[in-house]
């Protein structure tokens, strides 16, 4: 039999009262924080899982913010490109619709008012295009590629003509086409300049058949020919041995150096009359001593016909090559961002491009850059400016007859450039749609992750309130029990 003592009862009571207080306090904390646990030690397994879910949600939220930022930037780009597309549309009644086909005929007005108006339209049109391509989103220029802090397009006046630059590089820069020898080396002039591939050349052998002065013969009417006294010349014996078809390729020209009765026959294709020879030599480039400059092309000696663009200095050639290389790099410049596509690197530490999104928009890919095979610009602004220059070059009361074909040809180039612009515009629209769809996926992902860790951490408030009320009731009951079992002190008795 166990005897209940006052001290034992008091110790048991105080223990039970403290446990009731702890349970009441815990229930109150759970209800106020609305969390199942407030420290890792309370539920290590659930806490670890919730930590991973919260980390995934933070990453998804960051990706969502980046994706939205890129989407709004692309929306701004779409608006700009849509405006440019309307400006350069030559089919649907835009400012450029008057450039097509026979609509140019009415521009042959005597007063030239229509041409003046056309010149202004083309000039304003090209400027408007650049203004749209220089738009910003926030503090960044939309079409500046990976460098959003500096204006992408700039118009400068060079030699009295407007030229377009992209981030300091002329948009019409291209590797100059120069002539090459058989071994692939560039054909050089004595001063080191390269010979342009478009330069006209005259084969030296056509006019000067020997290393020395050209041989000449005179016809009966006094016309002097330059001839090759080598393989092209046959004496009468060799000539007589030829067939009739072969003899038809030769002609007999009296030569004072040949004894009478023994003429020399020369191949007609190898003859050059003196007038043509002298005229050709007058138009070819000469050295300081007045002698024709000879270059070797495909193993043949050539004279280069004089022309403003017949040669290019090595310095200008190298600069053009560097500018073209820079343009090519800028046009392909990329800036990748993480929008939840799995951002990953390969075994060499290089980003796998399909796992990120390239948000860089380069204006060059839309307006074009460089020169085509015919030496014409691919850039829409440059083509429009050339059309403007042609329109401006026709004097008041003048005729388009001399420039119509060139104007019409460039209109065709503009249509080609416009077609490429629309292709790139379509690609940009597709990217915008992709971003919009990705935003929806990320929003769903963020919501689902929040639900998952909420199920682990958040309490059922009905259960929490019920538990708190019950714990508080038990605590209050314990206090009342204490009044019954605890003896009154002297102070309680005096009260």
């Amino acid at each position: 039999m166990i005897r209940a003592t006052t001290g034992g009862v008091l110790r048991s009571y105080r223990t039970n009262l403290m446990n009731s207080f702890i349970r009441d306090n815990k229930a109150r904390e759970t209800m106020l924080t609305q969390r199942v646990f407030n420290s890792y030690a309370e539920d290590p397994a659930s806490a670890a899982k919730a930590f991973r879910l919260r980390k995934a949600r933070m990453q998804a939220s960051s990706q969502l913010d980046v994706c939205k930022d890129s989407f709004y930037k692309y929306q701004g780009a779409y608006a700009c490109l849509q405006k440019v597309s309307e400006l350069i549309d030559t089919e649907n009644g835009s400012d450029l619709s008057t450039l097509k086909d026979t609509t140019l005929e009415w521009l042959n007005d005597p007063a030239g008012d229509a041409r003046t108006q056309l010149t202004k339209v083309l000039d304003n049109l090209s400027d408007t295009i650049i203004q749209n391509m220089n738009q910003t989103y926030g503090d960044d220029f939309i079409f500046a590629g990976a460098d959003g802090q500096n204006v992408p397009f700039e118009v400068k006046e060079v030699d009295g003509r407007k030229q377009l630059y992209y981030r300091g590089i002329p948009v019409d820069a291209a590797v100059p086409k120069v002539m090459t020898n058989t071994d692939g080396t560039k054909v050089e002039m004595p001063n080191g300049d390269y010979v342009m591939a478009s330069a006209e050349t005259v084969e030296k052998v056509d006019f000067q058949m020997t290393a020395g002065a050209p041989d000449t013969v005179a016809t009966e009417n006094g016309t002097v020919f330059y001839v090759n006294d080598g393989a092209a010349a046959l004496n009468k014996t060799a000539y007589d041995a030829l067939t009739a078809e072969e003899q038809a390729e030769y002609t007999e020209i009296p030569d004072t150096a040949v004894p009478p009765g023994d003429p020399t026959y020369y191949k007609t294709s190898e003859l050059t009359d003196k007038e043509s020879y002298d005229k050709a030599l007058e138009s070819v480039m000469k050295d300081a001593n007045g002698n024709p400059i000879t270059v070797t092309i495909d193993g043949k000696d050539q004279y280069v016909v004089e022309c403003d663009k017949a040669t290019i200095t090595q310095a200008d050639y190298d600069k053009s090559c560097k500018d073209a290389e820079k343009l090519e790099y800028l046009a392909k410049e990329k800036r990748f961002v993480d929008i939840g596509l799995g951002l990953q690197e390969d075994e060499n530490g290089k980003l796998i491009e399909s796992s990120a999104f390239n948000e860089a928009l380069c204006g060059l890919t839309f307006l074009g850059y460089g020169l085509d095979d015919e030496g014409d610009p691919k850039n829409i602004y440059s083509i429009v400016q050339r059309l403007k220059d042609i329109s401006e070059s026709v004097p008041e009361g003048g005729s388009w007859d001399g420039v119509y074909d060139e104007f019409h040809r460039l209109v065709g180039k503009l249509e080609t450039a416009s077609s490429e612009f629309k292709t790139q515009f379509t690609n940009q629209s597709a990217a915008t749609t992709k971003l919009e769809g990705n935003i929806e996926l990320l929003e769903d992902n963020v919501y689902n992750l929040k639900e998952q860790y909420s199920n682990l951490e958040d309490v059922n408030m009905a259960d929490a309130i019920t538990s708190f009320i019950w714990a508080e009731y038990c605590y209050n009951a314990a206090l009342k029990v204490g009044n019954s079992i605890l003896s009154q002190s002297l102070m309680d008795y005096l009260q």
Side-chain angles (χ1 to χ4, degrees), residues 2 9 20 56 84 103 157 325 342 373 416 427 462 493:
I2 301 175
V9 172
S20 296
V84 175
T103 53
E157 190 163 316
E325 184 178 354
D373 293 337
T416 300
N427 294 338
Y493 178 79

Side-chain angles (χ1 to χ4, degrees), residues 275-308:
E275 183 180 356
S276 299
Y277 173 80
D278 292 339
K279 183 177 180 181
L281 290 187
E282 288 175 0
S283 64
V284 299
M285 292 185 175
K286 301 178 180 65
D287 59 21
N289 297 321
N291 299 317
I293 297 173
T294 306
V295 295
T296 303
I297 303 172
D298 295 333
K300 298 178 180 179
D301 290 336
Q302 301 278 336
Y303 291 140
V304 180
V305 178
E306 286 185 342
C307 175
D308 292 339

Side-chain angles (χ1 to χ4, degrees), residues 197-448:
S198 58
E200 183 181 350
T201 60
V202 180
E203 193 169 344
K204 184 178 179 182
V205 72
D206 287 342
F207 306 110
Q208 189 167 331
M209 304 305 181
T210 62
D215 296 322
T216 61
V217 293
T219 60
E220 293 178 351
N221 61 9
T223 302
V224 176
F225 284 85
Y226 289 90
V227 299
N228 183 343
D229 61 351
L234 297 176
N235 58 28
K236 189 175 187 310
T237 303
Y239 175 79
D240 292 340
L242 299 177
T243 64
E245 293 180 356
E246 292 173 333
Q247 288 179 353
E249 299 181 9
Y250 289 80
T251 185
E252 178 183 352
I253 301 178
D255 188 344
T256 56
V258 179
D262 188 16
T264 301
Y265 295 84
Y266 294 93
K267 201 166 188 176
T268 305
S269 60
E270 299 290 344
L271 300 177
T272 301
D273 64 84
K274 188 176 186 303
E275 183 180 356
S276 299
Y277 173 80
D278 292 339
K279 183 177 180 181
L281 290 187
E282 288 175 0
S283 64
V284 299
M285 292 185 175
K286 301 178 180 65
D287 59 21
N289 297 321
N291 299 317
I293 297 173
T294 306
V295 295
T296 303
I297 303 172
D298 295 333
K300 298 178 180 179
D301 290 336
Q302 301 278 336
Y303 291 140
V304 180
V305 178
E306 286 185 342
C307 175
D308 292 339
K309 298 181 180 179
T311 62
I312 182 173
T313 65
Q314 289 191 20
D316 289 343
Y317 178 86
D318 292 340
K319 183 179 185 304
S320 296
C321 289
K322 290 179 180 179
D323 287 345
E325 184 178 354
K326 290 177 182 177
L327 283 182
E328 193 69 26
Y329 172 81
L330 293 175
K332 297 179 180 178
E333 197 175 30
K334 298 177 180 179
R335 183 170 66 185
F336 289 101
V337 293
D338 182 13
I339 61 170
L341 301 179
L343 195 66
Q344 188 177 358
E345 296 179 344
D346 59 19
E347 61 275 8
N348 299 319
K350 185 178 180 181
L351 177 69
I352 299 175
E353 295 189 0
S354 59
S355 67
F357 178 76
N358 175 30
E359 72 161 4
L361 289 171
C362 177
L364 291 176
T365 60
F366 296 97
L367 297 187
Y369 62 97
L371 304 176
D372 59 19
D373 293 337
E374 296 179 351
D376 294 314
K378 297 180 182 179
N379 183 269
I380 292 176
Y381 176 91
S382 298
I383 297 174
V384 174
Q385 278 295 309
R386 283 202 181 185
L387 292 171
K388 184 214 74 170
D389 291 340
I390 293 175
S391 176
E392 197 173 34
S393 68
V394 179
E396 181 178 341
S399 172
W400 279 84
D401 293 343
V403 296
Y404 178 87
D405 290 340
E406 177 66 10
F407 193 96
H408 189 65
R409 187 181 69 83
L410 286 175
V411 170
K413 299 284 185 176
L414 178 59
E415 290 183 310
T416 300
S418 299
S419 177
E420 178 62 23
F421 173 90
K422 292 176 181 177
T423 299
Q424 296 299 330
F425 185 17
T426 301
N427 294 338
Q428 189 272 342
S429 300
T432 304
T433 303
K434 177 182 178 180
L435 287 171
E436 187 175 15
N438 200 67
I439 288 175
E440 296 178 0
L441 291 175
L442 287 172
E443 288 176 338
D444 290 342
N445 191 25
V446 170
Y447 175 79
N448 291 333

Side-chain angles (χ1 to χ4, degrees), residues 49 53 447-457:
K49 186 174 182 180
L53 291 172
Y447 175 79
N448 291 333
L449 288 169
K450 182 178 180 180
E451 285 293 306
Q452 290 183 58
Y453 70 70
S454 179
N455 291 335
L456 289 172
E457 298 178 349

